Amino acid sequence: MDRELPISSSLADGGGVANSIGAKVEDAVRAAHQATDKIADKATAQLDRIADRAAAQVDRASGRAHRALNTAADAASSAAAWVSAVPASIRARPITIVAGALVIGYLLGRLARR
């Protein structure tokens, strides 16, 4: 359904047809820009929500990592303190330590036979 207007009719009405077509094109462009802006606004809102959720997850993971690191450091310092205390305890009570080791060995041997 192509409509062809004779050149004389477009000139006779003072370019009204051209202005009408130009106005329709401008309206279509304006509508396309508005639709694009609306889509961009929705996408921006979604990305902001996703970024906020991701930041919250990173903060939680960071907190957990810090707690784990602190727990590991506490365990290491406790182990170091225990290791440094063992030789002093052995020197202070050598007979008690040897007797305790013999009892523990005997009990483990009895449990292994069963």
Side-chain angles (χ1 to χ4, degrees):
M1 295 190 31
D2 293 339
R3 291 188 190 176
E4 292 185 20
L5 296 175
I7 297 174
S8 61
S9 79
S10 66
L11 295 175
D13 63 1
V17 173
N19 287 340
S20 171
I21 292 173
K24 287 181 181 178
V25 169
E26 286 180 19
D27 288 343
V29 168
R30 190 175 301 116
H33 280 294
Q34 288 174 348
T36 302
D37 290 343
K38 195 182 289 187
I39 291 169
D41 290 342
K42 287 181 182 179
T44 301
Q46 282 285 41
L47 288 175
D48 287 343
R49 283 194 290 272
I50 291 170
D52 290 343
R53 288 180 186 161
Q57 291 295 331
V58 167
D59 289 343
R60 280 189 223 130
S62 175
R64 289 179 184 144
H66 285 296
R67 283 192 297 277
L69 183 63
N70 290 340
T71 301
D74 291 345
S77 65
S78 296
W82 184 77
V83 166
S84 66
V86 168
S89 176
I90 292 173
R91 286 189 188 106
R93 296 180 297 270
I95 295 175
T96 307
I97 298 297
V98 170
L102 289 174
V103 169
I104 291 172
Y106 175 76
L107 292 175
L108 288 175
R110 296 291 288 179
L111 288 173
R113 286 186 198 168
R114 291 185 180 192

